[in-house]
């Protein structure tokens, strides 16, 4: 039972870290990326900080799955393996979003240097990059929703946590899935 407690503490800490990293990123760099290309390069530090926060979040996401694996494996090995796979894929899509953020810094720098003559080309590339970033995030949320609903069903059946809590999680992830 000590192993479960250790895993629970690790999972809880990683959930908190990933939530805080995601909240900070969504408030400091995500709004800048939605604005004009003129605003991205001058705020390079904030954009890079946001990308680092996404990477921290990605590592935490995989860590959660790894810490839950031994617990879930005893109740449903297939879902335990699927959950690690889904969280790893989610991590990859989030890393794509971080890389696009960094690439937008260079695009913004070139846009500012070029002036207004070639602005339409830069805006087309920016729009494409933002679409890739947004789409990769939405795909990550779909994968998160599917994998986490499976985990919530195992938690409900195994009674590892109170059933109302796993049902609440299932409903929350179902709502996340439908919104993505």
């Amino acid at each position: 039972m000590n192993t479960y407690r250790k895993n629970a503490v690790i999972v809880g800490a990683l959930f908190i870290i990933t939530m805080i990293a995601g909240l900070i990123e969504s408030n400091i760099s995500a709004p800048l990326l939605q604005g004009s290309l003129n605003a991205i390069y001058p705020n390079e530090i904030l954009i890079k900080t946001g990308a680092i926060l996404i990477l921290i979040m990605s590592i935490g996401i995989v860590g959660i799955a790894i810490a839950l694996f031994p617990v879930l494996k005893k109740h449903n090995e297939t879902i335990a393996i699927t959950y690690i796979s889904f969280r790893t894929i989610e991590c990859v899509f989030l890393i794509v979003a971080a890389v696009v953020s960094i690439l937008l810094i260079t695009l913004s720098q070139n846009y500012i240097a070029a002036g207004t003559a070639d602005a339409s080309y830069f805006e087309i590339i920016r729009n494409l990059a933002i679409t890739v970033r947004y789409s990769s995030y939405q795909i990550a949320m779909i994968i998160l929703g599917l994998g986490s609903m499976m985990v919530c069903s195992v938690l409900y059946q195994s009674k590892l946590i109170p059933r109302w809590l796993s049902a609440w999680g299932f409903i929350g992830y179902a709502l996340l899935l439908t919104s993505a």
Side-chain angles (χ1 to χ4, degrees):
M1 199 50 99
N2 257 347
T3 305
Y4 282 0
R5 171 122 176 92
K6 180 182 171 186
N7 288 38
V9 169
I10 291 169
V11 169
L14 289 173
F15 261 112
I16 291 169
I17 290 166
T18 58
M19 290 297 284
I20 289 171
L23 287 170
I24 294 171
E25 188 280 330
S26 68
N27 285 300
I28 65 165
S29 67
L32 292 170
L33 295 174
Q34 296 299 324
S36 167
L37 269 173
N38 286 327
I40 295 174
Y41 180 65
N43 293 297
E44 175 181 9
I45 299 296
L46 291 175
I47 303 298
K48 287 181 179 178
T49 301
I52 290 169
L53 288 168
I54 290 174
L55 295 176
I56 290 169
M57 194 169 57
S58 298
I59 292 166
I61 284 167
V62 174
I64 290 168
I66 291 169
L68 278 176
F69 181 77
V71 178
L72 295 174
K73 182 181 175 185
K74 291 183 179 185
H75 299 281
N76 191 322
E77 187 172 359
T78 303
I79 288 181
I81 292 168
T82 303
Y83 187 62
I84 284 185
S85 302
F86 276 32
R87 294 311 296 254
T88 303
I89 295 167
E90 176 189 356
C91 173
V92 169
F93 278 102
L94 289 174
I95 290 171
V96 167
V99 169
V100 168
S101 298
I102 298 298
L103 293 175
L104 281 166
I105 294 170
T106 304
L107 181 67
S108 174
Q109 183 180 17
N110 290 334
Y111 173 80
I112 292 168
T116 58
D118 296 325
S120 64
Y121 297 114
F122 286 101
E123 286 297 328
I124 291 169
I125 295 168
R126 177 203 164 275
N127 290 340
L128 179 62
I130 292 297
T131 300
V132 168
R133 186 178 191 277
Y134 177 78
S135 298
S136 61
Y137 180 80
Q138 291 305 313
I139 292 168
M141 293 304 101
I142 290 168
I143 293 167
L144 168 64
L146 290 171
S148 297
M149 285 172 62
M150 288 187 280
V151 168
C152 287
S153 68
V154 169
L155 293 174
Y156 184 84
Q157 293 167 355
S158 66
K159 299 180 186 176
L160 285 171
I161 62 173
R163 283 187 152 190
W164 68 268
L165 190 56
S166 52
W168 183 256
F170 188 89
I171 292 167
Y173 284 116
L175 292 172
L176 173 72
L177 183 61
T178 57
S179 72

